């Protein structure tokens, strides 16, 4: 069965609750449009807005941008998986490069979070990707391999079916410097073969997204690649009109 295309907006630390609710209201039309086009869509607002977005549009897939791997405890400022579940959130972005760079996220902590999400039956978008220095040193595949193998360690084949992986070269996030469609295909294909090596043919069901300065003007080129099943989009996902154009141009 063909993998369904997925367009996911990562709002990062943007939008107040009121702004998020306004988008959620508009997202009813977006969702209907995406259904017509056969594309799955979702957004990842800040923790504070999650419940509000779900309340305004319960049909929309909504992800948290992070979570802790413990269910509760002395972790000031963190949010636990059961707390997300309680408000109807069942998707979480794990290991975004901004979490890795600014908040000391490692492949090991990502792995703990992914195992906890597996236990909770929730869907992760697991982000991997090399920095500019690693890219320039020709280490992309070495870095991505370690992130994929260490991050996904111990997950079951059955669970892998619902895991989404996002390849986001750090040098292309928010910089306007896109990776070429050839690079996106090369690394997304590489990731699929890594998954196949560890988990077998479930690899053909895993959705692999490209992320990094995706815009309405370039989304189509990426989505034409055989191993690119969608996009994780930051800046261009913040405005309803731009999100609509992304769907349209897929
Ligand atoms: C992201 O935040 O994951 C991202 C890819 O951002 P942008 O689209 O703004 O580069």
């Amino acid at each position: 069965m063909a993998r369904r295309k997925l367009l996911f907006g990562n709002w990062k630390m943007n939008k107040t609750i009121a702004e998020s609710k306004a988008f959620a209201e508009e997202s009813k039309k977006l969702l209907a449009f995406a259904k017509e086009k056969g594309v799955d869509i979702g957004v990842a607002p800040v923790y504070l807005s999650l419940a509000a977005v779900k309340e305004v549009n319960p049909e929309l897939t909504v992800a948290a941008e992070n979570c802790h791997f413990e269910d509760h405890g002395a972790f000031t400022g963190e949010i636990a998986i059961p707390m997300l579940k309680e408000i109807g959130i069942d998707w979480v972005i794990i290991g975004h490069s901004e979490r890795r760079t600014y908040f000391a996220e490692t492949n090991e902590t990502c792995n703990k979070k992914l195992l906890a999400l597996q236990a909770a039956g929730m869907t992760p978008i697991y982000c991997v990707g090399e920095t500019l220095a690693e890219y320039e040193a020709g280490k992309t595949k070495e870095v991505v391999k370690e992130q994929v193998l260490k991050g996904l360690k111990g997950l079951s084949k059955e669970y892998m079916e619902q895991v989404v992986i996002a390849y986001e070269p750090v040098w292309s996030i928010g910089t306007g410097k896109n990776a070429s469609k050839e690079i996106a295909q090369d690394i997304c294909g590489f990731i699929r073969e890594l998954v196949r090596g560890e988990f077998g043919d479930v690899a053909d069901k895993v959705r692999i997204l490209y992320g990094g300065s995706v815009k309405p003007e370039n989304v189509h080129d990426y989505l034409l690649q055989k191993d690119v099943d969608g996009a994780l989009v930051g800046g261009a996902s913040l405005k309803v009109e731009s999100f609509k154009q992304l769907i349209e141009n897929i």
Side-chain angles (χ1 to χ4, degrees):
M1 213 179 79
R3 297 180 293 270
R4 280 178 67 82
K5 301 292 182 205
L6 174 63
L7 200 54
F8 221 97
N10 173 22
W11 288 352
K12 314 189 190 208
M13 197 174 72
N14 291 297
K15 292 193 191 291
T16 61
I17 297 177
E19 289 163 348
S20 303
K21 281 166 91 168
F23 188 107
E25 190 55 49
E26 291 291 318
S27 75
K28 291 175 186 168
K29 277 182 251 156
L30 277 185
L31 198 52
F33 182 53
K35 275 189 186 151
E36 248 172 59
K37 291 259 179 189
V39 177
D40 293 340
I41 62 168
V43 295
V46 299
Y47 287 133
L48 272 180
S49 298
L50 290 171
V53 171
K54 258 287 168 209
E55 200 177 305
V56 174
N57 187 358
E59 301 293 312
L60 184 65
T61 298
V62 180
E65 295 175 15
N66 180 36
C67 66
H68 199 278
F69 48 82
E70 295 289 353
D71 277 357
H72 54 82
F75 301 101
T76 303
E78 289 293 300
I79 300 282
I81 288 170
M83 298 166 189
L84 295 171
K85 272 198 122 169
E86 187 184 30
I87 56 165
I89 301 301
D90 47 17
W91 285 59
V92 185
I93 296 177
I94 297 294
H96 190 278
S97 70
E98 287 147 20
R99 302 284 326 160
R100 291 179 188 262
T101 305
Y102 307 129
F103 301 97
E105 189 86 85
T106 64
N107 292 329
E108 287 70 26
T109 53
C110 288
N111 180 242
K112 287 185 185 179
K113 293 177 184 194
L114 289 166
L115 288 167
L117 288 171
Q118 171 177 255
M122 288 163 64
T123 301
I125 300 177
Y126 177 48
C127 302
V128 299
E130 81 286 4
T131 62
L132 182 60
E134 289 161 346
Y135 173 72
E136 287 177 345
K139 290 189 171 164
T140 299
K141 287 190 175 168
E142 189 185 317
V143 170
V144 168
K145 182 175 179 185
E146 198 174 342
Q147 291 170 330
V148 170
L149 297 186
K150 287 191 173 167
L152 303 181
K153 195 163 179 234
L155 299 182
S156 71
K157 281 185 190 173
E158 294 70 35
Y159 181 63
M160 280 308 296
E161 234 181 271
Q162 82 184 79
V163 170
V164 176
I165 301 173
Y167 168 56
E168 301 204 301
V170 181
W171 47 272
S172 74
I173 298 178
T175 59
K177 285 189 205 146
N178 304 77
S180 66
K181 58 185 192 302
E182 290 80 13
I183 293 179
Q185 167 53 34
D186 185 31
I187 305 303
C188 290
F190 174 68
I191 291 171
R192 194 175 307 287
E193 290 321 303
L194 286 172
V195 172
R196 193 184 311 284
E198 290 301 299
F199 301 96
D201 285 343
V202 68
D204 291 321
K205 295 186 176 159
V206 173
R207 289 191 283 184
I208 303 178
L209 315 181
Y210 167 76
S213 299
V214 172
K215 305 263 174 318
E217 304 81 60
N218 60 28
V219 68
H220 185 65
D221 279 350
Y222 290 115
L223 271 287
L224 275 180
Q225 309 308 307
K226 80 175 172 54
D227 287 300
V228 179
D229 304 313
L232 183 56
V233 186
S237 74
L238 289 168
K239 295 219 165 81
V240 176
E241 192 45 43
S242 163
F243 207 120
K244 181 165 184 252
Q245 277 169 16
L246 285 165
I247 301 169
E248 188 147 24
N249 293 357
I250 275 186

